[in-house]
Amino acid sequence: MRFLTLLMVVCLASCASIPELPQIRSDEPRGPFRPRDIYPTAPNVERLIGAEDCRGSTLAAVRADLPNYPASAYRNGRQGWVVVRFHVYSDGSVHRARVARSVPDGVFDRAAMSAVSDWEFRPLDGADILENCVVMFEFRAGDVRIR
């Protein structure tokens, strides 16, 4: 009986010392992108920006990562675009990020919002807040670009 107890303790102790294996992200696309729909006509971004939108200071990105192509959209060959509006506070943080327009509706919204919400800029010169800054992401042929 003591031998069995000792054997179990040794086995359990050895299991605890096994290094953790790297996790494979399930959202990483696999294989070639196969479009199943055409890329939708993108809006003229300049026309979406009003005269007072995001004016008064120069934005300098400290961190501005592109969104990940959603795995389900990649797998299903979906393409589209998302226009995101956001405010930048004087400390360079992003607030009130929201989807202004997207096609197809809802497919890429979460990825775009998540990316913009994590952006950081250098502190603003001469402005407390920049309102309604605009960025457009193109999700096309498995790649993401800013337009």
Side-chain angles (χ1 to χ4, degrees), residues 14 16 27-28 31 35 41 47 50 67 78 81 84-85 93 96 106 108 119 123-125 133 137 144-145:
S14 65
D27 62 343
E28 290 181 3
T41 303
R47 293 180 124 186
R78 302 301 306 267
W81 49 265
V84 178
R85 288 186 171 274
S93 61
R96 296 194 59 209
F108 301 103
W119 285 2
L124 303 179
D125 292 329
C133 298
F137 297 106
V144 181
R145 293 178 219 126

Side-chain angles (χ1 to χ4, degrees), residues 10-80:
V10 169
C11 287
L12 290 175
S14 65
C15 289
S17 66
I18 295 174
E20 187 174 323
L21 297 175
Q23 296 288 324
I24 297 175
R25 289 178 41 182
S26 61
D27 62 343
E28 290 181 3
R30 301 270 191 254
F33 183 82
R34 293 186 178 92
R36 295 197 179 137
D37 53 10
I38 61 169
Y39 183 77
T41 303
N44 181 338
V45 179
E46 294 297 322
R47 293 180 124 186
L48 297 174
I49 301 172
E52 296 301 315
D53 290 346
C54 207
R55 305 279 187 229
S57 185
T58 302
L59 286 176
V62 172
R63 186 180 74 222
D65 296 330
L66 290 175
N68 293 322
Y69 211 103
S72 61
Y74 188 96
R75 194 172 42 256
N76 294 321
R78 302 301 306 267
Q79 301 183 93

Side-chain angles (χ1 to χ4, degrees), residues 53 82-88 94-102 109 112-114 116-117 130-135 137:
D53 290 346
V82 179
V83 175
V84 178
R85 288 186 171 274
F86 59 98
H87 297 342
V88 178
V94 171
H95 294 274
R96 296 194 59 209
R98 62 209 176 278
V99 172
R101 293 180 62 194
S102 66
D109 295 5
M113 288 284 299
S114 178
V116 171
S117 295
L130 293 179
E131 296 178 327
N132 292 318
C133 298
V134 177
V135 65
F137 297 106

